[in-house]
Amino acid sequence: MANEISYHKKNDEIECVHYKNSTKCYAPHTHTGHLVLGYVEEGEVCIIMNGKEKVYGAGEQFKILPDVLHEIRTVDGKPYSMAVTCILFPATSSAASPENFPGDVKLVELKSSILDKPENMYLIEEMAADSNTSPFHLIRKFKKAFGLTPHQFQIQCKVRKAQKLLEEEKSVCQVTYDAGFCDQSHLDRCFQKVVGLTPKEYRASLKTDKE
């Protein structure tokens, strides 16, 4: 398990992830503000973007734009090996930039608010009140715009923050509190769903430039 996935942080803008003989699958998610470039080394991997499936085989490359909903699956449960590079894009390059949602500026503001402070308790009723709409309509509009419900997006952002805190070598207990999770089991469940590893496994998979 420890050698199946490795993370290598080049700097604050570039992260490389290597999968070796992996069978990890990832539920629908986005990479906020990041361009994802992938290269399949061995086997096949199925990428689903906005409901459309495409299988990539050895030697093929794929690209996922910032804020695009996608998921990753194995093909017939068989392992694959691939290298993925995540590159931070300027906010203005994001699919969620305000100019792309002229009638829904409050949605973009809400998204930014969650992204900035994912650890804060922010109930859907409070989000709806701040956006001058009902919870039902907010959930529907947010998911249409960004692919995830506000709650799903907030959990994803909490996990991303937890990743950064683990990179700073904070204890899992401290990360649980700082990232806004109820308890460590809650962190473990959400982290494994988004990252494909437990927090401890993720920390073990981190590589440094010196290695």
Side-chain angles (χ1 to χ4, degrees), residues 57-118:
E60 292 189 302
Q61 303 176 41
F62 61 86
K63 176 173 67 175
I64 303 171
L65 296 176
D67 298 292
V68 170
L69 184 71
H70 62 282
E71 59 182 297
I72 299 175
R73 296 179 184 173
T74 60
V75 177
D76 297 326
K78 296 179 180 179
Y80 60 84
S81 295
M82 70 175 180
V84 176
T85 301
C86 298
I87 305 170
L88 180 65
F89 255 36
T92 53
S93 300
S94 172
S97 296
E99 59 267 24
N100 294 328
F101 296 93
D104 289 308
V105 174
K106 287 189 176 297
L107 280 185
V108 178
E109 291 176 345
L110 173 60
K111 179 176 180 287
S112 296
S113 178
I114 295 173
L115 187 61
D116 290 342
K117 295 288 184 180

Side-chain angles (χ1 to χ4, degrees), residues 17 46 54 66-68 72 94 100 125 145 151 154 168 171 205:
V17 187
C46 179
K54 185 172 181 179
D67 298 292
V68 170
I72 299 175
S94 172
N100 294 328
E125 290 79 10
H151 177 69
Q154 187 174 38
E168 296 171 5
S171 69
S205 74

Side-chain angles (χ1 to χ4, degrees), residues 124-136:
I124 187 63
E125 290 79 10
E126 297 173 314
M127 297 181 192
D130 291 343
S131 302
N132 296 322
T133 187
S134 69
F136 173 79

